[in-house]
Amino acid sequence: MQFVSRAQWGARPSRYKLTTIPDTRGVKVHYEGSYVPPALANPDAHAQCAGRVRAIQAQHLADDEEDYSDIAYSAMVCPHGYVYEGRGAHRQTGANGTSALNRAHYAVCAMVGSSGLTEPTAAQLDGILGAIEWLRDEGNAGDEIKGHRDGHPTACPGGPLYAWIQRGAPRPGGTPGPAPSERYEPYPGAAWFKAAPRSPIVTAMGRRLVAEGCGRYRSGPGPQWTDADRQSYAAWQRKQGHSGTAADGWPGPSTWAALRVPKV
């Protein structure tokens, strides 16, 4: 990945403090949604790309109606395949449409438009995949790759990019895109928890519960499964919409998958 940091492209400081997030379900892909000159894809036009990112940041900072904290995107990708750091990893995006959508996914914007340059280049598709892998490695992004229009009424990211996403976001040449992440602990089974295990998996689970606002610990969390873990997990089950015996604090496969406990 050809990465361009905020300092390298000349980013202005954020207007407000950005919201920190522990992880996301994945990444949503965007386009600029306006005219992008086809000549921007010419090999000798790359010198214009950093200036384009600066202009987009300035436009967002000047938007009093949206009141953006910064450039809305987590990253931008130019036609030459360079990834420009936007808000970056572990920072809530402002691009997906609502606060809930912004918490759920990072946002990667390709420098293509609704007219002019509408087809992403092969280098650009590689760059988008590089940005996704970076957000997985550095920002704990989940496996989902979606378009902005998934969950929000918009044409973004345009027909060509959305068709690519629907094909599974393959690399140019037809090779598969990023494989599903194996960074999360598989469900250990109900009997494992009921045996009161002592394991670093319990600690990792507890930390995720605390991050989700469901911690019911007086101290810890720690490696020994205790009633505090069960109470915390019951709070997570209720947060997922469960009640009664479905929120008894014993982990089940669906709520465990939604919790996304990191591998230990």
Side-chain angles (χ1 to χ4, degrees), residues 3 12 18 22 25 59 61 63 72 82-84 92-93 98 116-117 120 135 137 143 162 165 178 197 200 235 239 258:
F3 185 77
R12 291 161 56 182
L18 298 176
R25 287 160 48 189
Q59 178 187 1
L61 289 174
D63 190 330
Y82 286 72
V83 176
Y84 292 80
Q92 182 173 308
T93 181
T98 68
L117 180 62
L135 287 165
D137 291 342
D143 299 328
Y162 194 64
I165 292 164
K239 185 175 180 178

Side-chain angles (χ1 to χ4, degrees), residues 145-219:
I145 303 175
K146 293 181 174 290
H148 182 194
R149 68 175 69 176
D150 292 317
H152 191 70
T154 175
C156 184
L161 265 178
Y162 194 64
W164 172 72
I165 292 164
Q166 291 185 307
R167 293 196 303 272
R171 294 194 181 278
T175 57
S181 169
E182 297 180 355
R183 294 196 306 276
Y184 304 121
E185 287 289 343
Y187 176 56
W192 188 82
F193 291 102
K194 292 187 177 182
R198 183 178 180 85
S199 167
I201 295 174
V202 177
T203 306
M205 176 204 72
R207 288 172 178 164
R208 284 289 300 122
L209 291 170
V210 170
E212 290 288 343
C214 297
R216 301 295 184 266
Y217 301 96
R218 291 187 178 181
S219 62

